PDB file of all heavy atoms in Angstrom:
ATOM      1  N   ASP A 281     -11.964 -15.539-159.478  1.00  0.00           N
ATOM      2  CA  ASP A 281     -11.392 -14.307-158.918  1.00  0.00           C
ATOM      3  C   ASP A 281     -11.136 -13.327-160.057  1.00  0.00           C
ATOM      4  O   ASP A 281     -10.177 -13.484-160.820  1.00  0.00           O
ATOM      5  CB  ASP A 281     -10.083 -14.627-158.171  1.00  0.00           C
ATOM      6  CG  ASP A 281      -9.420 -13.368-157.621  1.00  0.00           C
ATOM      7  OD1 ASP A 281     -10.001 -12.265-157.733  1.00  0.00           O
ATOM      8  OD2 ASP A 281      -8.301 -13.487-157.078  1.00  0.00           O
ATOM      9  N   ALA A 282     -11.992 -12.304-160.157  1.00  0.00           N
ATOM     10  CA  ALA A 282     -11.884 -11.350-161.257  1.00  0.00           C
ATOM     11  C   ALA A 282     -10.604 -10.536-161.199  1.00  0.00           C
ATOM     12  O   ALA A 282     -10.200  -9.935-162.192  1.00  0.00           O
ATOM     13  CB  ALA A 282     -13.093 -10.411-161.247  1.00  0.00           C
ATOM     14  N   THR A 283      -9.944 -10.478-160.042  1.00  0.00           N
ATOM     15  CA  THR A 283      -8.706  -9.703-159.937  1.00  0.00           C
ATOM     16  C   THR A 283      -7.474 -10.544-160.266  1.00  0.00           C
ATOM     17  O   THR A 283      -6.362 -10.012-160.247  1.00  0.00           O
ATOM     18  CB  THR A 283      -8.530  -9.129-158.508  1.00  0.00           C
ATOM     19  OG1 THR A 283      -8.395 -10.201-157.573  1.00  0.00           O
ATOM     20  CG2 THR A 283      -9.724  -8.269-158.113  1.00  0.00           C
ATOM     21  N   SER A 284      -7.632 -11.827-160.551  1.00  0.00           N
ATOM     22  CA  SER A 284      -6.455 -12.636-160.894  1.00  0.00           C
ATOM     23  C   SER A 284      -6.027 -12.317-162.330  1.00  0.00           C
ATOM     24  O   SER A 284      -6.859 -12.109-163.211  1.00  0.00           O
ATOM     25  CB  SER A 284      -6.757 -14.135-160.739  1.00  0.00           C
ATOM     26  OG  SER A 284      -7.772 -14.546-161.629  1.00  0.00           O
ATOM     27  N   ALA A 285      -4.722 -12.267-162.534  1.00  0.00           N
ATOM     28  CA  ALA A 285      -4.175 -11.824-163.814  1.00  0.00           C
ATOM     29  C   ALA A 285      -4.204 -12.951-164.840  1.00  0.00           C
ATOM     30  O   ALA A 285      -3.896 -14.099-164.520  1.00  0.00           O
ATOM     31  CB  ALA A 285      -2.738 -11.340-163.616  1.00  0.00           C
ATOM     32  N   ASP A 286      -4.556 -12.586-166.070  1.00  0.00           N
ATOM     33  CA  ASP A 286      -4.623 -13.581-167.144  1.00  0.00           C
ATOM     34  C   ASP A 286      -3.254 -13.689-167.807  1.00  0.00           C
ATOM     35  O   ASP A 286      -3.020 -13.187-168.899  1.00  0.00           O
ATOM     36  CB  ASP A 286      -5.689 -13.159-168.165  1.00  0.00           C
ATOM     37  CG  ASP A 286      -5.976 -14.282-169.155  1.00  0.00           C
ATOM     38  OD1 ASP A 286      -5.439 -15.382-168.972  1.00  0.00           O
ATOM     39  OD2 ASP A 286      -6.748 -14.041-170.104  1.00  0.00           O
ATOM     40  N   LEU A 287      -2.345 -14.320-167.091  1.00  0.00           N
ATOM     41  CA  LEU A 287      -0.979 -14.509-167.580  1.00  0.00           C
ATOM     42  C   LEU A 287      -0.636 -15.996-167.531  1.00  0.00           C
ATOM     43  O   LEU A 287      -1.145 -16.724-166.677  1.00  0.00           O
ATOM     44  CB  LEU A 287       0.022 -13.748-166.696  1.00  0.00           C
ATOM     45  CG  LEU A 287      -0.047 -12.229-166.729  1.00  0.00           C
ATOM     46  CD1 LEU A 287       0.855 -11.637-165.649  1.00  0.00           C
ATOM     47  CD2 LEU A 287       0.379 -11.715-168.102  1.00  0.00           C
ATOM     48  N   PRO A 288       0.224 -16.458-168.445  1.00  0.00           N
ATOM     49  CA  PRO A 288       0.609 -17.878-168.402  1.00  0.00           C
ATOM     50  C   PRO A 288       1.394 -18.188-167.132  1.00  0.00           C
ATOM     51  O   PRO A 288       2.097 -17.326-166.596  1.00  0.00           O
ATOM     52  CB  PRO A 288       1.485 -18.039-169.646  1.00  0.00           C
ATOM     53  CG  PRO A 288       1.923 -16.660-169.997  1.00  0.00           C
ATOM     54  CD  PRO A 288       0.846 -15.736-169.561  1.00  0.00           C
ATOM     55  N   VAL A 289       1.262 -19.419-166.642  1.00  0.00           N
ATOM     56  CA  VAL A 289       2.007 -19.838-165.459  1.00  0.00           C
ATOM     57  C   VAL A 289       3.443 -20.158-165.871  1.00  0.00           C
ATOM     58  O   VAL A 289       3.675 -21.016-166.712  1.00  0.00           O
ATOM     59  CB  VAL A 289       1.356 -21.081-164.814  1.00  0.00           C
ATOM     60  CG1 VAL A 289       2.168 -21.538-163.608  1.00  0.00           C
ATOM     61  CG2 VAL A 289      -0.079 -20.768-164.410  1.00  0.00           C
ATOM     62  N   GLU A 290       4.363 -19.421-165.282  1.00  0.00           N
ATOM     63  CA  GLU A 290       5.776 -19.622-165.623  1.00  0.00           C
ATOM     64  C   GLU A 290       6.357 -20.818-164.873  1.00  0.00           C
ATOM     65  O   GLU A 290       5.820 -21.235-163.848  1.00  0.00           O
ATOM     66  CB  GLU A 290       6.591 -18.379-165.234  1.00  0.00           C
ATOM     67  CG  GLU A 290       6.223 -17.128-165.993  1.00  0.00           C
ATOM     68  CD  GLU A 290       7.105 -15.955-165.579  1.00  0.00           C
ATOM     69  OE1 GLU A 290       8.320 -16.163-165.392  1.00  0.00           O
ATOM     70  OE2 GLU A 290       6.574 -14.850-165.432  1.00  0.00           O
ATOM     71  N   ASP A 291       7.466 -21.345-165.401  1.00  0.00           N
ATOM     72  CA  ASP A 291       8.263 -22.312-164.641  1.00  0.00           C
ATOM     73  C   ASP A 291       9.344 -21.496-163.934  1.00  0.00           C
ATOM     74  O   ASP A 291      10.393 -21.200-164.495  1.00  0.00           O
ATOM     75  CB  ASP A 291       8.884 -23.351-165.562  1.00  0.00           C
ATOM     76  CG  ASP A 291       9.700 -24.384-164.778  1.00  0.00           C
ATOM     77  OD1 ASP A 291       9.893 -24.188-163.554  1.00  0.00           O
ATOM     78  OD2 ASP A 291      10.152 -25.374-165.378  1.00  0.00           O
ATOM     79  N   PHE A 292       9.065 -21.119-162.690  1.00  0.00           N
ATOM     80  CA  PHE A 292       9.968 -20.219-161.970  1.00  0.00           C
ATOM     81  C   PHE A 292      11.300 -20.884-161.622  1.00  0.00           C
ATOM     82  O   PHE A 292      12.282 -20.196-161.373  1.00  0.00           O
ATOM     83  CB  PHE A 292       9.283 -19.694-160.700  1.00  0.00           C
ATOM     84  CG  PHE A 292       8.139 -18.769-160.985  1.00  0.00           C
ATOM     85  CD1 PHE A 292       6.836 -19.211-160.880  1.00  0.00           C
ATOM     86  CD2 PHE A 292       8.356 -17.471-161.394  1.00  0.00           C
ATOM     87  CE1 PHE A 292       5.769 -18.361-161.148  1.00  0.00           C
ATOM     88  CE2 PHE A 292       7.302 -16.611-161.681  1.00  0.00           C
ATOM     89  CZ  PHE A 292       5.999 -17.060-161.560  1.00  0.00           C
ATOM     90  N   THR A 293      11.346 -22.203-161.597  1.00  0.00           N
ATOM     91  CA  THR A 293      12.621 -22.871-161.289  1.00  0.00           C
ATOM     92  C   THR A 293      13.652 -22.631-162.402  1.00  0.00           C
ATOM     93  O   THR A 293      14.855 -22.685-162.156  1.00  0.00           O
ATOM     94  CB  THR A 293      12.420 -24.382-161.093  1.00  0.00           C
ATOM     95  OG1 THR A 293      11.791 -24.925-162.254  1.00  0.00           O
ATOM     96  CG2 THR A 293      11.542 -24.657-159.887  1.00  0.00           C
ATOM     97  N   ARG A 294      13.190 -22.321-163.605  1.00  0.00           N
ATOM     98  CA  ARG A 294      14.128 -22.063-164.709  1.00  0.00           C
ATOM     99  C   ARG A 294      14.853 -20.735-164.518  1.00  0.00           C
ATOM    100  O   ARG A 294      15.879 -20.487-165.150  1.00  0.00           O
ATOM    101  CB  ARG A 294      13.378 -22.072-166.040  1.00  0.00           C
ATOM    102  CG  ARG A 294      12.724 -23.416-166.328  1.00  0.00           C
ATOM    103  CD  ARG A 294      11.934 -23.403-167.607  1.00  0.00           C
ATOM    104  NE  ARG A 294      12.793 -23.339-168.783  1.00  0.00           N
ATOM    105  CZ  ARG A 294      12.334 -23.410-170.024  1.00  0.00           C
ATOM    106  NH1 ARG A 294      11.043 -23.536-170.236  1.00  0.00           N
ATOM    107  NH2 ARG A 294      13.155 -23.351-171.047  1.00  0.00           N
ATOM    108  N   ALA A 295      14.308 -19.879-163.662  1.00  0.00           N
ATOM    109  CA  ALA A 295      14.956 -18.586-163.400  1.00  0.00           C
ATOM    110  C   ALA A 295      16.126 -18.716-162.431  1.00  0.00           C
ATOM    111  O   ALA A 295      16.919 -17.780-162.277  1.00  0.00           O
ATOM    112  CB  ALA A 295      13.933 -17.609-162.828  1.00  0.00           C
ATOM    113  N   LEU A 296      16.256 -19.873-161.777  1.00  0.00           N
ATOM    114  CA  LEU A 296      17.279 -20.028-160.734  1.00  0.00           C
ATOM    115  C   LEU A 296      18.618 -20.388-161.363  1.00  0.00           C
ATOM    116  O   LEU A 296      19.095 -21.528-161.292  1.00  0.00           O
ATOM    117  CB  LEU A 296      16.828 -21.095-159.724  1.00  0.00           C
ATOM    118  CG  LEU A 296      15.406 -20.915-159.160  1.00  0.00           C
ATOM    119  CD1 LEU A 296      15.093 -21.994-158.133  1.00  0.00           C
ATOM    120  CD2 LEU A 296      15.234 -19.525-158.544  1.00  0.00           C
ATOM    121  N   THR A 297      19.244 -19.406-161.996  1.00  0.00           N
ATOM    122  CA  THR A 297      20.468 -19.643-162.750  1.00  0.00           C
ATOM    123  C   THR A 297      21.723 -19.580-161.888  1.00  0.00           C
ATOM    124  O   THR A 297      22.795 -19.973-162.317  1.00  0.00           O
ATOM    125  CB  THR A 297      20.597 -18.594-163.871  1.00  0.00           C
ATOM    126  OG1 THR A 297      20.608 -17.288-163.254  1.00  0.00           O
ATOM    127  CG2 THR A 297      19.423 -18.673-164.826  1.00  0.00           C
ATOM    128  N   GLY A 298      21.610 -19.003-160.697  1.00  0.00           N
ATOM    129  CA  GLY A 298      22.778 -18.906-159.815  1.00  0.00           C
ATOM    130  C   GLY A 298      23.623 -17.670-160.030  1.00  0.00           C
ATOM    131  O   GLY A 298      24.681 -17.528-159.406  1.00  0.00           O
ATOM    132  N   ASP A 299      23.218 -16.772-160.923  1.00  0.00           N
ATOM    133  CA  ASP A 299      24.011 -15.551-161.107  1.00  0.00           C
ATOM    134  C   ASP A 299      23.112 -14.327-161.235  1.00  0.00           C
ATOM    135  O   ASP A 299      21.907 -14.445-161.489  1.00  0.00           O
ATOM    136  CB  ASP A 299      24.924 -15.664-162.327  1.00  0.00           C
ATOM    137  CG  ASP A 299      24.153 -15.452-163.616  1.00  0.00           C
ATOM    138  OD1 ASP A 299      23.892 -14.293-163.952  1.00  0.00           O
ATOM    139  OD2 ASP A 299      23.814 -16.455-164.278  1.00  0.00           O
ATOM    140  N   VAL A 300      23.701 -13.165-161.037  1.00  0.00           N
ATOM    141  CA  VAL A 300      22.965 -11.891-161.161  1.00  0.00           C
ATOM    142  C   VAL A 300      23.691 -10.944-162.099  1.00  0.00           C
ATOM    143  O   VAL A 300      23.502  -9.725-162.029  1.00  0.00           O
ATOM    144  CB  VAL A 300      22.779 -11.221-159.774  1.00  0.00           C
ATOM    145  CG1 VAL A 300      21.765 -11.966-158.942  1.00  0.00           C
ATOM    146  CG2 VAL A 300      24.119 -11.096-159.048  1.00  0.00           C
ATOM    147  N   LYS A 301      24.503 -11.489-162.971  1.00  0.00           N
ATOM    148  CA  LYS A 301      25.278 -10.650-163.884  1.00  0.00           C
ATOM    149  C   LYS A 301      24.347  -9.785-164.739  1.00  0.00           C
ATOM    150  O   LYS A 301      23.373 -10.275-165.300  1.00  0.00           O
ATOM    151  CB  LYS A 301      26.159 -11.507-164.784  1.00  0.00           C
ATOM    152  CG  LYS A 301      27.311 -12.190-164.055  1.00  0.00           C
ATOM    153  CD  LYS A 301      28.204 -12.947-165.027  1.00  0.00           C
ATOM    154  CE  LYS A 301      29.393 -13.584-164.296  1.00  0.00           C
ATOM    155  NZ  LYS A 301      28.987 -14.593-163.333  1.00  0.00           N
ATOM    156  N   GLY A 302      24.646  -8.506-164.783  1.00  0.00           N
ATOM    157  CA  GLY A 302      23.867  -7.580-165.602  1.00  0.00           C
ATOM    158  C   GLY A 302      22.689  -6.937-164.886  1.00  0.00           C
ATOM    159  O   GLY A 302      22.076  -6.016-165.425  1.00  0.00           O
ATOM    160  N   LEU A 303      22.367  -7.397-163.685  1.00  0.00           N
ATOM    161  CA  LEU A 303      21.249  -6.801-162.956  1.00  0.00           C
ATOM    162  C   LEU A 303      21.703  -5.540-162.225  1.00  0.00           C
ATOM    163  O   LEU A 303      22.808  -5.486-161.681  1.00  0.00           O
ATOM    164  CB  LEU A 303      20.669  -7.792-161.935  1.00  0.00           C
ATOM    165  CG  LEU A 303      19.895  -8.993-162.465  1.00  0.00           C
ATOM    166  CD1 LEU A 303      19.332  -9.805-161.308  1.00  0.00           C
ATOM    167  CD2 LEU A 303      18.769  -8.556-163.392  1.00  0.00           C
ATOM    168  N   ARG A 304      20.835  -4.534-162.221  1.00  0.00           N
ATOM    169  CA  ARG A 304      21.061  -3.327-161.412  1.00  0.00           C
ATOM    170  C   ARG A 304      20.159  -3.420-160.187  1.00  0.00           C
ATOM    171  O   ARG A 304      18.943  -3.583-160.319  1.00  0.00           O
ATOM    172  CB  ARG A 304      20.732  -2.068-162.226  1.00  0.00           C
ATOM    173  CG  ARG A 304      21.773  -1.745-163.286  1.00  0.00           C
ATOM    174  CD  ARG A 304      21.276  -0.661-164.237  1.00  0.00           C
ATOM    175  NE  ARG A 304      21.037   0.612-163.573  1.00  0.00           N
ATOM    176  CZ  ARG A 304      21.945   1.570-163.414  1.00  0.00           C
ATOM    177  NH1 ARG A 304      23.173   1.382-163.854  1.00  0.00           N
ATOM    178  NH2 ARG A 304      21.636   2.708-162.834  1.00  0.00           N
ATOM    179  N   ILE A 305      20.766  -3.328-159.017  1.00  0.00           N
ATOM    180  CA  ILE A 305      20.017  -3.456-157.759  1.00  0.00           C
ATOM    181  C   ILE A 305      20.080  -2.131-157.009  1.00  0.00           C
ATOM    182  O   ILE A 305      21.164  -1.625-156.713  1.00  0.00           O
ATOM    183  CB  ILE A 305      20.582  -4.607-156.905  1.00  0.00           C
ATOM    184  CG1 ILE A 305      20.437  -5.931-157.664  1.00  0.00           C
ATOM    185  CG2 ILE A 305      19.872  -4.678-155.553  1.00  0.00           C
ATOM    186  CD1 ILE A 305      21.001  -7.134-156.946  1.00  0.00           C
ATOM    187  N   GLY A 306      18.913  -1.588-156.702  1.00  0.00           N
ATOM    188  CA  GLY A 306      18.844  -0.288-156.054  1.00  0.00           C
ATOM    189  C   GLY A 306      18.744  -0.390-154.540  1.00  0.00           C
ATOM    190  O   GLY A 306      18.031  -1.241-154.013  1.00  0.00           O
ATOM    191  N   LEU A 307      19.469   0.496-153.855  1.00  0.00           N
ATOM    192  CA  LEU A 307      19.356   0.629-152.395  1.00  0.00           C
ATOM    193  C   LEU A 307      18.635   1.949-152.115  1.00  0.00           C
ATOM    194  O   LEU A 307      19.193   3.017-152.361  1.00  0.00           O
ATOM    195  CB  LEU A 307      20.730   0.634-151.734  1.00  0.00           C
ATOM    196  CG  LEU A 307      21.634  -0.587-151.919  1.00  0.00           C
ATOM    197  CD1 LEU A 307      22.889  -0.444-151.063  1.00  0.00           C
ATOM    198  CD2 LEU A 307      20.913  -1.857-151.562  1.00  0.00           C
ATOM    199  N   PRO A 308      17.398   1.907-151.616  1.00  0.00           N
ATOM    200  CA  PRO A 308      16.667   3.157-151.362  1.00  0.00           C
ATOM    201  C   PRO A 308      17.158   3.832-150.081  1.00  0.00           C
ATOM    202  O   PRO A 308      17.133   3.229-149.003  1.00  0.00           O
ATOM    203  CB  PRO A 308      15.217   2.692-151.231  1.00  0.00           C
ATOM    204  CG  PRO A 308      15.297   1.266-150.806  1.00  0.00           C
ATOM    205  CD  PRO A 308      16.588   0.716-151.328  1.00  0.00           C
ATOM    206  N   LYS A 309      17.602   5.065-150.186  1.00  0.00           N
ATOM    207  CA  LYS A 309      18.186   5.737-149.020  1.00  0.00           C
ATOM    208  C   LYS A 309      17.176   5.913-147.902  1.00  0.00           C
ATOM    209  O   LYS A 309      17.539   5.974-146.722  1.00  0.00           O
ATOM    210  CB  LYS A 309      18.767   7.088-149.428  1.00  0.00           C
ATOM    211  CG  LYS A 309      17.756   8.029-150.064  1.00  0.00           C
ATOM    212  CD  LYS A 309      18.446   9.291-150.553  1.00  0.00           C
ATOM    213  CE  LYS A 309      17.451  10.233-151.216  1.00  0.00           C
ATOM    214  NZ  LYS A 309      18.096  11.435-151.778  1.00  0.00           N
ATOM    215  N   GLU A 310      15.868   5.939-148.231  1.00  0.00           N
ATOM    216  CA  GLU A 310      14.838   6.145-147.197  1.00  0.00           C
ATOM    217  C   GLU A 310      14.646   4.911-146.308  1.00  0.00           C
ATOM    218  O   GLU A 310      13.950   4.984-145.290  1.00  0.00           O
ATOM    219  CB  GLU A 310      13.503   6.503-147.858  1.00  0.00           C
ATOM    220  CG  GLU A 310      13.477   7.863-148.536  1.00  0.00           C
ATOM    221  CD  GLU A 310      14.058   7.832-149.948  1.00  0.00           C
ATOM    222  OE1 GLU A 310      14.453   6.740-150.398  1.00  0.00           O
ATOM    223  OE2 GLU A 310      14.105   8.894-150.597  1.00  0.00           O
ATOM    224  N   TYR A 311      15.202   3.765-146.692  1.00  0.00           N
ATOM    225  CA  TYR A 311      15.045   2.545-145.892  1.00  0.00           C
ATOM    226  C   TYR A 311      16.201   2.343-144.907  1.00  0.00           C
ATOM    227  O   TYR A 311      16.115   1.500-144.020  1.00  0.00           O
ATOM    228  CB  TYR A 311      14.938   1.313-146.799  1.00  0.00           C
ATOM    229  CG  TYR A 311      13.551   1.119-147.400  1.00  0.00           C
ATOM    230  CD1 TYR A 311      12.964   2.106-148.190  1.00  0.00           C
ATOM    231  CD2 TYR A 311      12.833  -0.043-147.181  1.00  0.00           C
ATOM    232  CE1 TYR A 311      11.708   1.937-148.748  1.00  0.00           C
ATOM    233  CE2 TYR A 311      11.569  -0.225-147.729  1.00  0.00           C
ATOM    234  CZ  TYR A 311      11.022   0.763-148.517  1.00  0.00           C
ATOM    235  OH  TYR A 311       9.771   0.592-149.060  1.00  0.00           O
TER     236      TYR A 311
END
Side-chain angles (χ1 to χ4, degrees):
D281 178 5
T283 64
S284 63
D286 191 6
L287 293 171
V289 178
E290 296 182 41
D291 181 352
F292 292 103
T293 56
R294 299 177 71 175
L296 309 182
T297 59
D299 78 80
V300 288
K301 290 184 178 64
L303 289 183
R304 286 169 63 89
I305 298 178
L307 300 186
K309 58 185 179 183
E310 292 83 1
Y311 280 58

